[in-house]
């Protein structure tokens, strides 16, 4: 406990082997940090301000953006502070808080990636039951569950680390307080705690990653059943981008906490990638590839930046184009021209037309019904990402 510790503050030595590069690192990391904050704030603003984006997929993206704002803010401000020439000292309570919030936010994001993968699995593999399975109540429970289990994990790790007595050296050979470097400063045997930390910190993200990979394996199997080559291409493009973001988030954690012989310089490089670069790329990978989000961003920024307006993204029209094909025909069996298709669509919308019930008109009617169902299905939003 704290009463056994005589150390009242720690000295952060910074990134190993970077002496004399403080100015360059300050400019580089400050740029990363600013772009991370701006990108995630814009995505958060776009999702909150647009009622069209109030659905489970964007609800979890909104929470991811919030955590991507706070996660780099745990270690970056102090790192930028001492890179600019200020004190490298951090108090005992500040060091404990830094370790707690780093693992709380990091563990919560690991669980959140797993929940987002499950959301896409339900949307693509079980679209008729999507609104029933992913109800508002379920989404709130899943979102709160990720934070709850992340808090338990962080509390457990922080308690294990700071119950040790720190009575000797106080120089932390790193740029923030993390478990491996703090255990080196403890005045007690830490072999048992190192094993517990290895199991808790290393295997937990690995388990989440394997479960996430299982969800995407089922998603890929469903994508392979899509008849349209263009639909398969778009879906694979989206899934590959999401898997890239997941790899960028999980692999640094596995490399840092599961390697047998730690390398301080490699650990610092990988952890900076995880702390600054990945939160900066997440808005680009997850949200800016989506037409709905890009439209909402343009709508938000247009009064400020005087951006030219663009026509509203119409899901049903895009779906009709996918069904109609390049030459204006509905499939290969329908043989109906674009003019007839428009007539049939107007008739289904409620206008009075007198036409005979021919195979072509039946095909057009079923194509329209399929078009409406696709535009209302969560799978439609996945296939319409660029």
């Amino acid at each position: 406990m704290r009463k056994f510790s005589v150390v009242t503050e720690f000295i952060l030595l910074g990134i190993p082997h970077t002496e004399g590069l403080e100015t360059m690192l300050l400019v580089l990391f400050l740029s990363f940090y600013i772009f991370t904050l701006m990108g995630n704030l814009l995505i958060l603003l776009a999702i909150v301000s647009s009622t069209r984006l109030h659905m489970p997929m964007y609800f979890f993206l909104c929470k991811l953006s919030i955590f991507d704002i706070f996660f780099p803010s745990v270690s970056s401000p102090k790192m930028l502070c001492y890179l600019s020439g200020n004190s490298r000292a951090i108090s005992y309570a500040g060091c404990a808080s830094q370790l707690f919030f780093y693992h709380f936010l990091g563990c919560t994001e690991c669980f959140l990636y797993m929940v987002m993968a499950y959301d896409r699995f339900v949307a693509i593999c079980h679209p008729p039951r999507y609104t029933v399975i992913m109800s508002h109540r379920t989404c709130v429970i899943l979102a709160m569950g990720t934070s709850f289990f992340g808090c338990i994990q962080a509390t457990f790790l922080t308690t294990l680390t700071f119950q040790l007595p720190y009575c000797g050296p106080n120089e932390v050979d790193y740029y923030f307080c993390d478990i491996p470097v703090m255990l080196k400063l403890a005045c007690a045997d830490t072999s048992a705690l190192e094993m517990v930390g290895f199991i808790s910190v290393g295997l937990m993200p690995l388990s989440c990653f394997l479960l996430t990979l299982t969800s995407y394996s089922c998603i890929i199997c469903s994508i392979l059943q899509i008849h349209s080559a263009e639909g398969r291409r778009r879906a694979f493009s989206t899934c590959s981008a999401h898997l890239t973001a997941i790899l960028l988030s999980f692999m640094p954690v596995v490399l840092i906490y599961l390697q047998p012989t730690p390398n301080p310089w490699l650990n610092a490089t990988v952890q900076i990638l995880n702390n600054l670069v990945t939160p900066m790329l997440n808005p680009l990978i997850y949200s800016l590839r989506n037409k709905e989000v890009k439209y909402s961003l343009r709508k938000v920024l247009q009064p400020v930046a005087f951006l030219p307006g663009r026509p509203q993204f119409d899901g049903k029209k895009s779906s009709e184009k996918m069904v109609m094909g390049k030459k204006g025909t509905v499939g290969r069996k329908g043989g109906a021209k674009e003019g007839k298709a428009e007539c049939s669509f107007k008739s289904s919308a409620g206008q009075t037309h007198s036409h005979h019930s021919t195979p072509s008109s039946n095909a057009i009617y079923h194509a329209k019904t399929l078009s409406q169902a696709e535009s209302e299905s969560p799978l439609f939003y996945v296939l319409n990402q660029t």
Side-chain angles (χ1 to χ4, degrees), residues 128-204:
R129 302 179 57 195
Y130 178 77
T131 54
V132 177
I133 297 175
M134 300 301 296
S135 62
H136 292 292
R137 181 173 178 271
T138 303
C139 292
V140 172
I141 291 174
L142 289 174
M144 293 179 64
T146 57
S147 299
F148 175 73
F149 288 110
C151 183
I152 290 178
Q153 174 86 346
T155 303
F156 173 70
L157 294 173
T158 306
T159 304
L160 284 180
T161 303
F162 285 93
Q163 72 173 349
L164 298 170
Y166 293 92
C167 52
N170 66 338
E171 293 184 345
V172 180
D173 192 17
Y174 214 46
Y175 68 97
F176 77 104
C177 297
D178 199 11
I179 295 174
V181 291
M182 295 305 299
L183 292 180
K184 295 179 181 178
L185 302 179
C187 304
D189 182 23
T190 61
S191 56
L193 291 179
E194 287 176 1
M195 182 58 64
V196 172
F198 173 84
I199 296 173
S200 181
V201 182
L203 294 186
M204 186 278 296

Side-chain angles (χ1 to χ4, degrees), residues 212-270:
T212 303
L213 205 60
T214 302
S215 296
Y216 275 101
S217 299
C218 297
I219 290 172
I220 291 173
C221 291
S222 297
I223 291 173
L224 292 174
Q225 298 176 6
I226 299 176
H227 299 293
S228 169
E230 180 67 14
R232 286 196 303 270
R233 186 193 67 79
R234 291 182 179 182
F236 272 123
S237 175
T238 302
C239 289
S240 63
H242 294 172
L243 284 173
T244 301
I246 290 169
L247 286 172
L248 287 174
S249 300
F250 281 102
M251 295 312 294
V253 180
V254 175
L255 287 174
I256 292 170
Y257 296 104
L258 292 183
Q259 57 179 325
T261 56
N263 185 333
W265 186 85
L266 177 63
N267 286 358
T269 304
V270 173

Side-chain angles (χ1 to χ4, degrees), residues 14-66:
I15 303 172
H17 311 299
T18 57
E19 293 79 7
L21 302 175
E22 286 81 6
T23 303
M24 185 186 70
L25 293 177
L26 174 65
V27 174
L28 181 64
F29 295 155
L30 182 61
S31 302
F32 284 161
Y33 187 54
I34 291 174
F35 281 119
T36 298
L37 297 182
M38 290 179 59
N40 285 285
L41 282 173
L42 284 176
I43 296 303
L44 184 63
L45 181 62
I47 294 175
V48 171
S49 63
S50 176
T51 57
R52 300 163 62 187
L53 301 181
H54 292 176
M55 52 187 302
M57 179 170 64
Y58 299 107
F59 170 70
F60 293 123
L61 280 177
C62 187
K63 183 173 182 180
L64 180 65
S65 295
I66 294 174

Side-chain angles (χ1 to χ4, degrees), residues 13-14 35 78 93 95 99 106 146 172 200 237 268 302 308 322 349:
L13 298 183
F35 281 119
K78 183 62 181 178
C95 190
L99 191 146
T146 57
V172 180
S200 181
S237 175
Q302 188 173 352
M322 292 172 62

